[in-house]
């Protein structure tokens, strides 16, 4: 028996030693993979492709016949089932409230479409060709810069958002004020396959390849070094860009910082049992227990499984189906702003947004027919080729700032983030707000971003 115990203890010691050794190896950052910065993603072979490097003003005006057809579609009788009794958005978009939204869209919003279109045109829109793709972007330069340091800023949106998310924060970033020594030249592109940006014609265009296109766009505009800010996919694309191209990254700020590396996952599990080792007690509400986290993800991530496996099927059901498209997109602006909003009959949609702003975003997807191509990014993000890049193990050395808004989908602790973001100079917590911070709380996000820029001394 004594020999058996000694053997078991020896085996346990060897196992612990192996775990510690592997942990140390996994914790060490790996070199950035080399991606082809000129890879062609347009249609055909690209054998005769010659890139048009010109930057042209871009008219986002919708064709009148598309608007007229949309009006006709919204005039059709709605064949919706009644919601269950005493149900808000728990089963999805409440059909009674959807009728009100569609009526407003048809009778009020489209009646003033020229006003809404003028609003969407309030910033200068441009287009250029990058790696075989026509890329759309908003470009706003500050008009007054006296006494201010001007920094180029790449502003990246996510799904199911668009550049519309940034309409309230862009003026804050580009207009000098007494509280900041900085002002920004903002470049806000539509991600590839989103809005007015052309979609990849080829497979394997994932977040890493998206970051190459975004970096090349900034170089095209003459910015060899720039700051990056983003949430949702914009956070991942921005993080990839900072990992792959440190020579171009002045700083990285996100309202959805994440690290999905193996050590980070180990720490997430450990934090469930030993929370005091990983975060301060006053921040406990930001970090769900293991059970709550997975319960939440199972309940709220069905869209992701659809889009990561069969994006073209779900896309086909939504394309040119305005009622379904509005319900599918706007439901995320309910539960992702605050999951408790699902218990309200209107999903709490107008607690933080106006119907005009929400419908502006839906219209961008509808007018550009980009719902399918936007969803393909989920499928490409989970391919073997994308996973093998291991970008969560490639360090970001640039100054990094992370803002957490309480009701966002999930949060990482600083302990998790510091394995990837080696120069985490700013970490903040806000007990309000959710996933779409730039659209929901633009002033708060702006203030946080400025705090980061000051700390990073950019």
């Amino acid at each position: 028996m004594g020999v058996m115990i000694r053997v078991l203890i020896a085996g346990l010691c060897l196992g612990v030693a192996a775990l510690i050794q592997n942990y140390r190896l996994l914790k060490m950052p790996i070199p950035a993979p080399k991606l082809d910065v000129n890879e062609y993603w347009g249609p055909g072979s690209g054998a005769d492709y010659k890139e048009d490097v010109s930057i042209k003003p871009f008219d986002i005006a919708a064709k009148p016949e598309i608007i007229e057809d949309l009006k006709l579609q919204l005039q059709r009788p709605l064949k919706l089932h009644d919601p269950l009794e005493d149900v808000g958005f728990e089963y999805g978009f409440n059909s009674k409230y959807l009728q009100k939204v569609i009526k407003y869209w048809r009778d009020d919003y489209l009646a003033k479409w020229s006003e809404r279109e003028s609003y969407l045109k309030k910033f200068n829109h441009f287009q250029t060709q990058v790696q075989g793709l026509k890329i759309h972007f908003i470009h706003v330069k500050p008009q007054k810069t006296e006494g201010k340091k001007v920094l180029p800023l790449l502003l990246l949106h996510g799904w199911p958002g668009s550049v519309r998310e940034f309409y309230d924060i862009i003026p804050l970033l580009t207009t000098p004020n007494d509280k900041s020594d900085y002002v920004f030249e903002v470049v806000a592109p539509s991600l590839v396959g989103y809005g007015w940006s052309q979609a990849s014609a080829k497979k394997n265009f994932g977040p890493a390849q998206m970051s190459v296109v975004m970096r090349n766009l900034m170089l095209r505009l003459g910015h060899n070094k720039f700051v990056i800010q983003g949430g949702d996919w914009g956070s991942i694309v921005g993080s990839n860009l900072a990992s792959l191209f440190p020579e171009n990254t002045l700083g990285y700020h996100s309202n959805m910082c994440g690290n999905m590396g193996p050590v980070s996952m180990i720490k997430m599990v450990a934090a469930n049992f030993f929370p005091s080792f990983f975060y301060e007690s006053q921040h406990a509400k930001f970090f769900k227990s293991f059970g709550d986290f997975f319960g939440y993800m199972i309940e709220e991530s069905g869209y992701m499984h659809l889009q990561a496996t069969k994006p073209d099927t779900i896309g086909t059901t939504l394309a040119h189906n305005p009622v379904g498209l509005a319900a599918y997109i706007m439901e995320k602006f309910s539960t992702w702003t605050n999951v408790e909003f699902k218990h309200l009959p209107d999903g709490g949609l107008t607690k933080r947004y106006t119907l005009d702003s929400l419908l502006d975003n839906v219209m961008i997807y509808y007018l550009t027919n980009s719902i399918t191509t936007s969803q393909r990014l989920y499928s490409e993000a989970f391919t073997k080729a994308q996973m093998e890049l291991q970008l969560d193990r490639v360090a970001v050395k640039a100054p990094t700032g992370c803002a957490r808004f309480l009701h966002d989908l999930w949060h990482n602790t600083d302990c998790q983030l510091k394995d990837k973001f080696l120069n985490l100079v700013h970490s903040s917590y806000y007990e309000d707000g959710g996933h779409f911070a730039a659209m929901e709380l633009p002033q708060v996000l702006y203030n946080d971003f400025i705090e980061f820029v000051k700390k990073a001394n950019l």
Side-chain angles (χ1 to χ4, degrees):
M1 180 65 73
V3 173
M4 182 66 71
I5 291 174
R6 284 196 293 271
V7 170
L8 289 173
I9 292 173
L12 179 61
C13 290
L14 286 172
V16 171
L19 179 62
I20 292 172
Q21 180 64 24
N22 287 331
Y23 178 87
R24 287 175 176 172
L25 290 173
L26 290 172
K27 188 177 172 64
M28 292 176 60
I30 63 174
K34 300 296 183 183
L35 273 65
D36 182 356
V37 297
N38 297 307
E39 189 167 3
Y40 177 78
W41 295 103
S45 67
D48 300 322
Y49 171 68
K50 185 177 181 181
E51 191 149 289
D52 182 357
V53 299
S54 63
I55 299 165
K56 302 173 182 176
F58 183 73
D59 186 3
I60 64 169
K63 295 180 179 178
E65 56 267 30
I66 295 179
I67 300 300
E68 292 306 312
D69 180 68
L70 175 58
K71 290 178 180 177
L72 290 174
Q73 291 193 63
L74 295 178
Q75 287 171 5
R76 295 171 183 167
L78 286 176
K79 300 178 181 179
L80 302 174
H81 289 89
D82 287 336
L84 295 171
E85 295 178 2
D86 302 318
V87 163
F89 272 47
E90 293 95 339
Y91 285 70
F93 208 109
N94 185 291
S95 57
K96 285 188 176 179
Y97 187 62
L98 182 58
Q99 293 181 48
K100 295 180 180 179
V101 170
I102 299 307
K103 184 179 186 301
Y104 180 84
W105 193 1
R106 180 191 64 224
D107 298 341
D108 295 273
Y109 181 92
L110 288 179
K112 57 181 180 183
W113 170 243
S114 60
E115 174 188 320
R116 297 315 304 166
E117 188 174 62
S118 294
Y119 179 80
L120 292 173
K121 290 181 176 182
K122 67 183 290 187
F123 302 121
N124 293 322
H125 294 254
F126 298 90
Q127 186 184 79
T128 191
Q129 194 174 50
V130 180
Q131 297 174 252
L133 303 172
K134 294 177 180 177
I135 303 300
H136 158 266
F137 60 98
I138 289 171
H139 193 182
V140 183
K141 297 181 180 181
Q143 296 301 307
K144 296 180 180 179
T145 61
E146 295 83 5
K148 304 294 182 182
K149 185 170 184 179
V150 182
L151 294 175
L153 171 62
L154 176 63
L155 206 51
L156 298 170
H157 68 82
W159 187 93
S162 64
V163 292
R164 176 61 182 85
E165 293 180 59
F166 302 132
Y167 271 55
D168 290 330
I169 200 170
I170 287 175
L172 299 176
L173 292 162
T174 56
T175 304
N177 64 74
D178 295 337
K179 297 181 180 180
S180 172
D181 294 329
Y182 298 87
V183 69
F184 303 90
E185 179 180 336
V186 173
V187 178
S190 294
L191 296 182
V192 175
Y194 287 69
W196 297 281
S197 283
Q198 183 180 352
S200 170
K202 296 172 172 56
K203 297 188 298 182
N204 297 321
F205 185 88
Q209 290 73 26
M210 181 88 75
S211 72
V212 175
V213 172
M214 296 296 107
R215 175 256 192 182
N216 287 345
L217 170 64
M218 293 300 281
L219 296 184
R220 175 73 49 80
L221 295 173
H223 300 306
N224 293 321
K225 291 182 178 292
F226 48 89
V227 189
I228 305 163
Q229 202 290 326
D232 195 83
W233 281 120
S235 174
I236 296 172
V237 172
S239 171
N240 288 349
L241 197 164
S243 296
L244 292 167
F245 305 105
E247 69 276 14
N248 302 123
T249 306
L250 286 174
Y252 167 75
H253 179 275
S254 176
N255 48 293
M256 194 181 179
C257 283
N259 178 10
M260 300 298 287
V263 171
S264 177
M265 295 298 97
I266 292 171
K267 289 181 176 180
M268 183 181 75
V269 174
N272 187 67
F273 299 100
F274 309 102
S276 61
F277 286 95
F278 294 90
Y279 53 82
E280 297 177 4
S281 58
Q282 68 264 33
H283 299 144
K285 65 181 70 174
F286 286 81
F287 304 106
K288 296 180 175 68
S289 69
F290 210 53
D292 288 345
F293 174 76
F294 280 98
Y296 172 81
M297 291 305 294
I298 289 171
E299 184 176 351
E300 295 295 335
S301 64
Y303 79 98
M304 183 172 64
H305 297 286
L306 282 171
Q307 294 171 192
T309 54
K310 307 294 180 185
D312 286 26
T313 300
I314 184 62
T316 299
T317 67
L318 299 173
H320 299 294
N321 172 13
V323 175
L325 182 67
Y328 194 75
I329 289 177
M330 291 173 66
E331 184 253 321
K332 301 306 177 195
F333 281 82
S334 167
T335 53
W336 291 5
T337 298
N338 187 332
V339 71
E340 293 303 313
F341 286 175
K342 69 182 179 182
H343 302 303
L344 302 175
D346 63 353
L349 285 171
T350 55
K351 282 184 174 291
R352 282 291 165 81
Y353 315 106
T354 65
L355 281 181
D356 282 349
S357 65
L358 294 170
L359 288 170
D360 285 345
N361 184 61
V362 172
M363 286 291 285
I364 291 174
Y365 278 89
Y366 182 80
L367 295 173
T368 61
N369 193 24
S370 60
I371 188 63
T372 301
T373 54
S374 71
Q375 292 172 156
R376 286 178 183 162
L377 187 57
Y378 286 83
S379 181
E380 302 294 7
F382 294 104
T383 62
K384 182 181 179 182
Q386 200 74 196
M387 295 293 189
E388 287 178 343
L389 294 175
Q390 298 189 74
L391 285 173
D392 275 303
R393 294 189 61 197
V394 179
V396 171
K397 298 177 182 178
T400 298
C402 295
R404 299 171 185 83
F405 290 83
L406 179 61
H407 302 295
D408 208 344
L409 307 184
W410 52 271
H411 302 287
N412 277 181
T413 64
D414 283 356
C415 185
Q416 291 172 276
L417 296 175
K418 287 179 179 178
D419 289 331
K420 177 173 177 61
F421 304 102
L422 304 186
N423 191 12
L424 184 65
V425 300
H426 175 73
S427 178
S428 56
Y429 296 81
Y430 296 97
E431 296 190 7
D432 193 7
H435 190 65
F436 305 97
M439 192 170 177
E440 185 185 355
L441 296 170
Q443 186 68 56
V444 177
L445 182 61
Y446 168 78
N447 292 343
D448 190 272
F449 178 68
I450 290 297
E451 277 300 307
F452 156 67
V453 172
K454 289 178 181 176
K455 289 178 182 178
N457 194 27
L458 298 182

